[in-house]
Amino acid sequence: MNTHVKPSKLIKGATGDWEVIIGLEVHAQVTSRSKLFSGASTLFGAEPNTNVSLVDAAMPGMLPVINAECVAQAVRTGLGLQAQINLRSVFDRKNYFYPDLPQGYQISQYKSPIVGEGTVIVDVSPTEQIEVGIERLHLEQDAGKSLHDQSATDSFVDLNRSGVALMEIVSKPDMRSADEARAYVSKLRTILRYLGTCDGNMEQGSLRADVNVSVRRPGEPFGTRCEIKNVNSIRFIGQAIETEARRQIAILEDGGSIDQETRLFDPGKGETRSMRSKEEAHDYRYFPDPDLLPLEFDQAYVDELASALPELPDAKKSRFMKDYGLPAYDAGVLVADKETADYYEAAVNYGGTKRDPKLVANWVTGDVAAYANSVGLAVAQTHLTPAQIATLVDLISEQTISGKIAKDVLAILISEEKEGDPRAIVEARGLKQVTDTGAIEAAVDAIISANPDKVAQAQAKPTMLGWFVGQVMKQTGGKANPQAVNELLKAKLGI
Amino acid sequence: MTELTDLTLADARDALRQKKISSAELTMAYLAAIEKARPLNAFLLETPDHAQAMARACDERIARGEAGLLEGIPLGIKDLFCTEGVRTTAASHILENFVPPYESTITANLWRDGAVMLGKLNLDEFAMGSSNETSYFGPVISPWRRAGSTAPLTPGGSSGGSAAAVAARLCLGATATDTGGSIRQPAAFTGTVGIKPTYGRCSRWGVVAFASSLDQAGPITRTVRDAAIMLRSMAGYDPKDSTSVNLPVPDYEEVLGQSVKGMRIGIPKEYRLDAMPEEIGRLWDQGIEWMRAAGAEPVEISLPHTRHALPAYYIVAPAEASSNLARYDGVRFGLRVPGKDIAGMYEETRAEGFGKEVRRRILIGTYVLSAGYYDAYYVRAQKIRTLIKQDFDQAFDQKIDAILTPATPSAAFGLGEKGAKDPIEMYLNDIFTVTVNMAGLPGIAVPAGVSSEGLPLGLQLIGRPFDEQTLFALAAVIESSAPPVSLPSAWWA
């Protein structure tokens, strides 16, 4: 995949072009009520150490029992990534000492993950689509959290996260720019949210990425990579890649070489710095966890989960293009967030009548999205309802109001009448478009007679028509049907 | 009847149900015996208040006609089983003051059935040892002595406290655990009966883990019938242990006394070791004769990978232990020794908290799992484990009902006699028992005779998975054929 070099992606160095190679390990918290191997709650934001079972605290003699819901979520995710589902997988222990790791090992999947190779289709821009290969997905326990700010002399540990289920989703090194990596994570997050297998809240740590970056001259073999740990926003992922690529290029252009190591990204300083070298890397002493049997299920189980999967973004996009005649770009924007897509469809089909899908799309992705963005909400989270948008579009289509007036109505809906009916607003405020030709004609005649010099100019230069239209609209308070105004003016001016 | 403590578990059960005795008086008799036997160091914690309260409740239930399977029976609990609100140490300094807020499934099963807890029994630290000498709280001294000698002997290990307490009449039965022979070897050394059931038969939940894929709990008792009664209570599926097996638990007592006629008894030729004392060979031959006399048919079988079992065991078990014991880090519970930083605290805590043998096994386990050695050690050991299982499968495919072997390569030895210079000397104790753990099979040790020095010797029967019934039936044959175990006189009292 993506083996041919795309010149537009190359970074210009002092000594020539460089290609950036990126692979991502995304840690996605599984949406589940309880933890991967215990019954403790996974609720975010609880008081420290309140969601901790005896198993999570690794008390002597405690044993893990797999949470079936987490297994189902991993399988659903695998299906959503068009990936191989492994009917037999094995949990291993990854051994290391750390205060937030109560067992002294993390239960993970090493040699036999639950999900194998898959594919994600990513829209990088309105005109560019790439495929990113998925290497594997495995289930593992999250660790707890060390708190260093509670006391001057001691560190504290909060085990609420300890044992929460994570899916580690490992991509192939198929990305060639920060933009591609950002678009991949966005798409992955969209898929997870559609599936309901991860809420994708990066600010709560539900989605984090380890970013592998290397650079090479176009056409050469892969360079030595560095892994940037635990990057927790899409913006930072992009910044970390660009920063790290430039660091590596600078070293190589100075005749140096890259050391394979783990690094941290500091968004404040805009730099990555070494965390540990290859020599300092842990020896995790992986071995199969003897407390757990291999995880086995049959194809019928997978088929059942597959049959209950929701429509996924790619399929929805195709359907929007086919059923609603939307351009790929509009469809792509709408389906990026499932609730927005649902909102859009609810508006198009409101009241059991279908209205102009493109017009609805323009409003949802345009003015409505702009408002939502300005208040930091998703479209579906705003108080604007699909019914209001549908009615607004109906009013335009019926030629009851112009598009310009519709914007005014939307502003009223946003600021003044939160549950207002656009039709009633138009009625009450007298915003109805004037289609009575008599009234418009009177206005036209008045303008023409008052401005003989402009009439002469317009007859010589027809683009002056716009000035007349503006004057008529002004006179009619914006309510005149623009089409009628145009036609009347053209006839009367003889242009 | 001279002493209440002379009753077997089965006798006491019947006498309690018939209200000939009360649990309160039985419990008092045992508490008195325990107090007198403190020189044996079998109990790490006596729980007399607990015991008397439980006994009173038992007597009330018996009066109401609500007696459970073990109603009123006083038991000792190996201090590897977590007991709610009662200190549980694993005989380690690192857990010296650990009081679990939970009860192991097995002990909960016993209390459900009406058993009474007398206290917590000594063991090798984290069950690592074959002589009880690795206990942080000092070794258990066997109630047995060599004829004409007062030299202190080992009761075996790791369930040394359990075996000694049962042999010395300090409880009617005791829980024990067996990772490589820790039930069967001490049973053989003390003239008691010990069964390690099939892996998955008893829940491991709440039992401090040594090597998860090998650990299995079972009872040590005075008679085969007592073991059958006690195992029925201990065993059963536990959804909290993913390796526990969901099969009904039979009434093991029913098979006792049943004919074993026509059963084919495998005699593995590889178990006849060159270095084995002659009296062990004679004991084995005697057992074979008893089988024949009972109508069973001894058949020579081959278990060709036997000689690799011990080395492979000493890779697998320490590997798992090195990981299982990582949680004793001083962070959340147990001993904490301050250090200059977090790594320092780990080092100080674990260096001081673990004894020498435990540290040795953690080091071995860490080594065999480390990069570059994993394939050479751990992976190969697992392959050997598979071959050992196949050996047994092939034997059982030849219509073998059970396998008869010696339980130990010698009688009990003196404290300090073995393993001081070379730990392998101690590890060799498990030579006949580890194969059974590696294959996950049930095995029972039954007293079968005495050594030239007057010490008990035991035979081992190995069964098919989940066929403990056949083992009990055959063990009952050995028990009734062998000369009665002459009790150690209470020199400690």
Side-chain angles (χ1 to χ4, degrees):
Chain A
M1 254 167 270
N2 304 329
T3 44
H4 55 277
V5 177
K6 283 175 273 186
S8 65
K9 306 282 171 175
L10 299 179
I11 294 181
K12 293 230 177 302
T15 58
D17 289 343
W18 295 88
E19 190 180 25
V20 192
I21 312 290
I22 304 149
L24 291 174
E25 294 166 22
V26 171
H27 298 261
Q29 181 180 329
V30 175
T31 299
S32 64
R33 276 198 297 278
S34 52
K35 296 181 179 180
L36 183 53
F37 296 110
S38 86
S41 167
T42 57
L43 217 63
F44 178 80
E47 284 295 299
N49 294 313
T50 51
N51 291 340
V52 185
S53 76
L54 296 167
V55 176
D56 307 322
M59 300 300 278
M62 290 301 101
L63 298 171
V65 176
I66 185 81
N67 178 345
E69 180 55 20
C70 295
V71 174
Q73 292 288 55
V75 172
R76 288 185 190 112
T77 307
L79 291 167
L81 302 176
Q82 303 170 56
Q84 164 78 34
I85 306 298
N86 295 323
L87 300 182
R88 184 180 193 277
S89 62
V90 175
F91 285 102
D92 297 280
R93 291 187 185 176
K94 179 180 181 179
N95 295 282
Y96 64 97
F97 283 94
Y98 205 70
D100 64 18
L101 187 75
Q103 295 165 134
Y105 53 84
Q106 176 197 35
I107 306 178
S108 180
Q109 295 189 303
Y110 184 49
K111 285 186 180 161
S112 307
I114 184 165
V115 174
E117 294 188 327
T119 307
V120 179
I121 294 164
V122 179
D123 289 320
V124 183
S125 71
T127 53
E128 189 194 3
Q129 194 173 69
I130 60 166
E131 266 188 35
V132 175
I134 296 296
E135 179 71 34
R136 58 184 280 163
L137 174 155
H138 69 252
L139 280 168
E140 64 184 26
Q141 294 176 303
D142 202 351
K145 205 166 94 184
S146 295
L147 309 168
H148 301 295
D149 54 359
Q150 309 283 308
S151 145
T153 50
D154 293 306
S155 289
F156 286 41
V157 180
D158 176 9
L159 296 180
N160 282 350
R161 289 192 74 96
S162 168
V164 166
L166 301 179
M167 297 179 282
E168 181 171 326
I169 303 166
V170 183
S171 84
K172 294 185 187 268
D174 285 349
M175 288 154 275
R176 295 293 177 267
S177 70
D179 284 345
E180 290 188 2
R182 275 196 294 257
Y184 163 73
V185 177
S186 297
K187 182 61 180 286
L188 190 61
R189 184 169 64 167
T190 298
I191 293 171
L192 296 172
R193 284 177 167 169
Y194 266 68
L195 290 164
T197 57
C198 169
D199 65 27
N201 289 335
M202 298 188 91
E203 64 280 7
Q204 293 181 359
S206 299
L207 203 71
R208 311 170 326 241
D210 297 341
V211 187
N212 284 288
V213 178
S214 65
V215 298
R216 66 176 175 190
R217 295 289 190 188
E220 286 187 359
F222 285 143
T224 303
R225 68 187 161 86
C226 289
E227 182 181 14
I228 308 157
K229 278 279 186 201
N230 235 350
V231 190
N232 62 4
S233 85
I234 291 180
R235 194 159 56 97
F236 290 162
I237 289 171
Q239 290 173 4
I241 291 166
E242 278 164 3
T243 307
E244 176 60 15
R246 267 186 239 112
R247 184 188 73 89
Q248 293 185 13
I249 290 167
I251 291 172
L252 293 171
E253 290 194 330
D254 275 357
S257 62
I258 304 301
D259 296 327
Q260 188 178 332
E261 61 183 359
T262 302
R263 300 180 69 82
L264 279 177
F265 176 62
D266 183 337
K269 292 188 179 151
E271 61 175 32
T272 68
R273 59 171 177 269
S274 184
M275 194 172 145
R276 57 176 178 257
S277 70
K278 196 181 173 188
E279 289 70 35
E280 293 166 308
H282 293 295
D283 180 353
Y284 290 120
R285 308 187 311 279
Y286 282 99
F287 74 108
D289 191 330
D291 285 333
L292 292 161
L293 302 171
L295 177 60
E296 291 177 316
F297 43 78
D298 55 16
Q299 189 57 43
Y301 169 79
V302 179
D303 293 345
E304 201 186 312
L305 290 172
S307 69
L309 283 190
E311 182 185 38
L312 293 173
D314 292 343
K316 198 182 283 285
K317 183 180 168 189
S318 302
R319 184 169 62 80
F320 277 18
M321 291 167 70
K322 186 165 152 286
D323 289 4
Y324 300 130
L326 294 181
Y329 180 72
D330 292 44
V333 170
L334 286 169
V335 304
D337 175 57
K338 181 170 180 295
E339 280 68 37
T340 303
D342 292 346
Y343 185 99
Y344 166 75
E345 281 204 279
V348 171
N349 299 307
Y350 173 70
T353 51
K354 199 168 157 183
R355 48 194 58 72
D356 183 349
K358 175 61 181 158
L359 198 50
V360 177
N362 289 348
W363 278 91
V364 172
T365 61
D367 293 69
V368 177
Y371 163 63
N373 206 26
S374 72
V375 291
L377 294 172
V379 166
Q381 290 171 326
T382 66
H383 67 271
L384 296 172
T385 64
Q388 289 174 324
I389 305 307
T391 309
L392 207 55
V393 168
D394 286 348
L395 289 168
I396 301 165
S397 300
E398 291 160 7
Q399 303 204 336
T400 305
I401 55 173
S402 64
K404 189 183 164 298
I405 294 289
K407 283 178 193 282
D408 296 342
V409 174
L410 185 70
I412 293 165
L413 289 171
I414 288 169
S415 64
E416 290 173 25
E417 297 183 32
K418 298 208 165 172
E419 283 165 35
D421 172 11
R423 203 173 282 282
I425 290 169
V426 166
E427 200 67 50
R429 303 197 177 209
L431 300 172
K432 225 171 180 177
Q433 188 159 255
V434 177
T435 42
D436 170 1
T437 23
I440 299 174
E441 200 170 352
V444 167
D445 288 346
I447 303 286
I448 289 177
S449 59
N451 299 283
D453 51 335
K454 300 274 183 192
V455 173
Q457 283 176 28
Q459 279 160 345
K461 194 179 159 209
T463 48
M464 270 297 290
L465 185 64
W467 182 84
F468 281 94
V469 173
Q471 292 301 310
V472 175
M473 296 307 282
K474 202 171 168 187
Q475 182 114 2
T476 57
K479 290 180 286 181
N481 180 324
Q483 207 181 337
V485 173
N486 257 298
E487 281 166 10
L488 269 171
L489 277 169
K490 278 186 188 164
K492 300 236 173 202
L493 294 169
I495 50 176
Chain B
M1 194 173 75
T2 53
E3 294 261 8
L4 273 175
T5 54
D6 285 336
L7 294 173
T8 64
L9 191 154
D11 293 339
R13 174 191 61 181
D14 298 344
L16 282 163
R17 281 190 188 163
Q18 294 156 15
K19 303 190 180 92
K20 288 180 184 166
I21 58 170
S22 72
S23 180
E25 59 181 323
L26 186 63
T27 300
M28 284 308 291
Y30 275 109
L31 290 172
I34 290 167
E35 204 179 321
K36 280 191 212 157
R38 284 183 186 154
L40 299 185
N41 200 26
F43 279 82
L44 293 180
L45 181 72
E46 298 166 18
T47 55
D49 296 343
H50 212 85
Q52 289 175 66
M54 287 174 103
R56 276 195 299 277
C58 291
D59 286 331
E60 284 165 21
R61 279 194 295 273
I62 292 169
R64 290 199 301 267
E66 294 168 2
L69 288 173
L70 290 172
E71 200 68 55
I73 299 293
L75 300 175
I77 303 300
K78 184 176 184 178
D79 206 19
L80 203 61
F81 292 81
C82 290
T83 42
E84 188 176 354
V86 176
R87 190 186 74 150
T88 301
T89 67
S92 181
H93 184 34
I94 213 159
L95 286 177
E96 190 174 357
N97 298 307
F98 177 63
V99 179
Y102 49 93
E103 187 77 34
S104 82
T105 297
I106 284 187
T107 47
N109 289 349
L110 292 171
W111 316 144
R112 173 202 65 203
D113 286 348
V116 171
M117 178 165 74
L118 293 167
K120 306 296 293 286
L121 294 161
N122 203 347
L123 65 151
D124 279 300
E125 185 180 3
F126 282 102
M128 298 179 190
S130 304
S131 64
N132 222 298
E133 289 167 290
T134 72
S135 168
Y136 174 72
F137 304 98
V140 177
I141 295 164
S142 177
W144 290 84
R145 286 173 166 177
R146 292 178 181 124
S149 163
T150 59
L153 300 182
T154 175
S158 66
S159 310
S162 303
V166 171
R169 306 290 189 259
L170 309 182
C171 54
L172 276 170
T175 63
T177 60
D178 189 318
T179 305
S182 281
I183 290 176
R184 293 157 290 158
Q185 182 253 23
F189 277 9
T190 56
T192 55
V193 176
I195 181 163
K196 181 203 89 73
T198 313
Y199 184 78
R201 180 78 283 188
C202 288
S203 169
R204 294 185 294 113
W205 193 89
V207 184
V208 177
F210 163 14
S212 310
S213 75
L214 301 158
D215 293 345
Q216 185 62 199
I220 291 180
T221 57
R222 287 177 221 164
T223 68
V224 173
R225 181 175 298 275
D226 289 358
I229 294 167
M230 207 172 144
L231 179 60
R232 186 180 172 193
S233 255
M234 293 170 72
Y237 172 63
D238 181 4
K240 290 186 287 190
D241 175 358
S242 308
T243 62
S244 124
V245 175
N246 195 356
L247 282 175
V249 180
D251 179 356
Y252 298 115
E253 240 185 314
E254 277 178 355
V255 302
L256 304 177
Q258 277 182 11
S259 168
V260 299
K261 205 164 174 182
M263 282 193 187
R264 286 161 54 86
I265 310 299
I267 310 297
K269 60 182 182 188
E270 291 80 6
Y271 281 54
R272 214 167 274 277
L273 308 176
D274 294 338
M276 193 161 72
E278 203 193 327
E279 59 185 8
I280 300 294
R282 273 207 305 277
L283 182 84
W284 193 8
D285 292 337
Q286 179 63 254
I288 293 167
E289 279 314 305
W290 290 331
M291 289 289 125
R292 209 189 305 276
E297 182 196 346
V299 182
E300 188 186 76
I301 60 165
S302 175
L303 301 171
H305 297 93
T306 300
R307 70 192 176 90
H308 302 299
L310 199 65
Y313 171 85
Y314 275 97
I315 289 168
V316 174
E320 293 182 11
S322 70
S323 174
N324 281 338
L325 270 57
R327 65 188 56 197
Y328 307 106
D329 56 6
V331 174
R332 298 167 313 287
F333 52 80
L335 181 74
R336 176 190 291 179
V337 182
K340 64 176 184 346
D341 54 14
I342 183 67
M345 184 186 94
Y346 289 151
E347 288 166 8
E348 300 293 335
T349 300
R350 291 166 64 83
E352 190 177 320
F354 292 133
K356 191 177 173 189
E357 182 61 25
V358 172
R359 292 202 304 271
R360 182 190 343 261
R361 295 201 197 189
I362 290 172
L363 289 172
I364 292 172
T366 304
Y367 179 80
V368 298
L369 288 175
S370 56
Y373 299 98
Y374 181 82
D375 290 336
Y377 290 98
Y378 185 79
V379 170
R380 284 186 76 194
Q382 291 293 4
K383 283 180 184 163
I384 290 170
R385 191 169 180 182
T386 303
L387 292 170
I388 288 166
K389 274 186 200 152
Q390 283 172 5
D391 283 359
F392 282 108
D393 287 346
Q394 280 160 16
F396 289 125
D397 283 347
Q398 299 161 41
K399 303 260 183 290
I400 296 295
D401 294 288
I403 295 163
L404 180 72
T405 77
T408 55
S410 74
F413 46 89
L415 293 178
E417 271 179 26
K418 277 194 185 175
K421 288 198 205 86
D422 181 4
I424 306 285
E425 194 182 25
M426 191 67 86
Y427 297 170
L428 284 169
N429 266 287
D430 298 332
I431 191 114
F432 298 132
T433 47
V434 284
T435 53
V436 180
N437 300 79
M438 295 287 267
L441 300 173
I444 190 168
V446 205
V450 290
S451 72
S452 56
E453 296 171 314
L455 296 177
L457 294 172
L459 287 172
Q460 170 178 241
L461 287 155
I462 303 164
R464 295 167 175 271
F466 300 99
D467 186 15
E468 283 81 7
Q469 283 145 296
T470 296
L471 293 189
F472 281 120
L474 290 165
V477 168
I478 294 175
E479 187 179 51
S480 60
S481 309
V485 180
S486 54
L487 296 171
S489 63
W491 53 263
W492 56 86

